[in-house]
Amino acid sequence: MNLTKRDEKHWEELQDWRQSFFEYEATDFENAYDKWMDQIFTLLPLTLQAQFFEKMDNWFFQVNSLIRGTQFQNEIRTRILNAARSMSSEIATLDDMRQLPVDQLTFLAEQQAAKHRLYSLIQGGAAGSGQPILIGSDFLSTIVINLRAVQVIAMSYGYDVQSPAGLLETVKVYNTATMPDRLKMFGWEDLMDDLQKGDEAFYFDIHERIIDQTWLDEPLKQMLKISLILMFSRKKVSGVPLLSMAIGAGVNYNTTKQVTQFAVKYYQYKHMLEKNGDLT
């Protein structure tokens, strides 16, 4: 299928966005931080590192699988299909959605992205209240919201997340989205390699490591957020810890914004590649 002029404009924008990963120049602080992290990991036996990251991979895959099977996720799938059918009466399944123009698919994806950014804002604000149960569940809640966001964005572009390959892809997209900007090019290249393999080869690579030390920036950022919440939650205005709630809401919102922006661009890129019939 040939690209329209509108498609060509999207493609140029996506190429510029992709190129930004490879042109990013790490600061001296980032380079020093990377060396510090490498030194820490060299102190740990390789077998211990492998076991830790393997367990993290399995945990992420299981959590993502549970999200996929929830009633809420099934309802979102139905809503996305109904919205697509309002654009074209020929839409019967998710696969059919890929017949729609990329602008319409992106509109559907951006709607879901905006909803999940709102969920993160509310959830982060609640955690910022300083209640122990909310703080304790904040990290898991943040991961669930963002994994779910990637899934629904994938569905908005007509991709099935029910298959093991689709499920694994969403974990990889989430992982790359949460990587520091200086490391995103490595996650991007891995995703592009997977696209070239196709679903069958992708499935057989299911035990390939996904999470590694490059992802640890995210839990460190969340730990810093929780420390700030605990520090400022006692400072209240009219009985409300406004500052700590603002910290929780702001950090979680920005995390989901980062994840959803990357997911929208990635699935848009994948759709454009397939529409052009070229995955090289």
Side-chain angles (χ1 to χ4, degrees):
M1 186 183 297
N2 294 326
L3 297 178
T4 64
K5 289 185 177 179
R6 181 63 178 164
D7 291 337
E8 290 176 355
K9 185 176 186 304
H10 276 298
W11 184 245
E12 290 177 2
E13 292 173 352
L14 287 168
Q15 289 295 335
D16 291 340
W17 170 74
R18 169 186 171 276
Q19 190 61 31
S20 67
F21 302 150
F22 299 90
E23 294 178 351
Y24 184 87
E25 294 184 6
T27 64
D28 291 340
F29 173 78
E30 289 171 333
N31 288 328
Y33 171 81
D34 288 338
K35 290 180 181 179
W36 177 69
M37 288 294 291
D38 288 339
Q39 289 173 355
I40 289 178
F41 272 88
T42 56
L43 300 176
L44 300 174
L46 292 177
T47 53
L48 184 61
Q49 293 183 42
Q51 289 175 1
F52 172 76
F53 288 119
E54 183 179 353
K55 289 184 182 297
M56 289 296 296
D57 282 348
N58 291 335
W59 183 80
F60 267 98
F61 193 80
Q62 292 301 323
V63 169
N64 208 30
S65 182
L66 288 172
I67 295 169
R68 172 195 62 180
T70 61
Q71 181 62 30
F72 181 69
Q73 202 75 337
N74 292 331
E75 290 175 0
I76 292 178
R77 180 190 180 97
T78 301
R79 290 174 194 166
I80 290 172
L81 274 171
N82 288 338
R85 286 166 186 153
S86 70
M87 298 174 177
S88 172
S89 59
E90 297 181 0
I91 304 298
T93 65
L94 283 179
D95 285 344
D96 296 335
M97 288 176 58
R98 278 177 263 171
Q99 303 169 11
L100 295 173
V102 67
D103 281 333
Q104 292 182 343
L105 295 175
T106 301
F107 173 76
L108 294 174
E110 290 288 4
Q111 279 189 320
Q112 295 302 325
K115 289 178 182 178
H116 282 77
R117 288 196 291 267
L118 179 60
Y119 298 154
S120 275
L121 184 75
I122 295 171
Q123 188 271 321
S129 66
Q131 297 296 321
I133 190 170
L134 295 175
I135 293 177
S137 62
D138 177 69
F139 185 54
L140 177 59
S141 298
T142 300
I143 290 174
V144 168
I145 289 173
N146 287 295
L147 283 173
R148 188 170 64 190
V150 176
Q151 286 190 15
V152 297
I153 288 170
M155 289 189 285
S156 298
Y157 280 96
Y159 294 108
D160 186 13
V161 298
Q162 298 296 320
S163 67
L167 199 60
L168 183 60
E169 182 180 36
T170 57
V171 176
K172 286 194 169 188
V173 171
Y174 165 79
N175 179 47
T176 303
T178 53
M179 283 181 179
D181 290 340
R182 64 190 182 278
L183 300 174
K184 272 192 170 65
M185 61 180 176
F186 301 111
W188 178 260
E189 288 180 333
D190 187 38
L191 287 167
M192 293 300 102
D193 288 343
D194 288 337
L195 287 182
Q196 292 180 3
K197 293 174 187 175
D199 282 354
E200 184 175 355
F202 197 15
Y203 173 76
F204 286 117
D205 281 344
I206 200 167
H207 296 296
E208 175 188 359
R209 177 182 291 177
I210 304 170
I211 305 298
D212 58 23
Q213 70 188 68
T214 60
W215 180 78
L216 293 180
D217 276 22
E218 184 61 24
L220 288 174
K221 181 178 74 176
Q222 295 298 323
M223 288 172 62
L224 175 60
K225 176 194 70 179
I226 291 172
S227 298
L228 292 173
I229 287 174
L230 293 173
M231 184 185 304
F232 292 109
S233 60
R234 294 181 181 179
K235 297 183 179 181
K236 300 180 180 180
V237 178
S238 300
V240 180
L242 291 179
L243 182 55
S244 62
M245 291 178 70
I247 291 171
V251 172
N252 285 18
Y253 176 87
N254 285 328
T255 297
T256 302
K257 181 180 178 182
Q258 175 185 340
V259 170
T260 53
Q261 284 180 339
F262 182 90
V264 167
K265 291 289 189 182
Y266 168 76
Y267 284 105
Q268 190 179 85
Y269 193 95
K270 179 178 179 178
H271 172 75
M272 297 292 287
L273 282 174
E274 293 180 351
K275 186 174 183 179
N276 196 36
D278 181 13
L279 287 177
T280 59

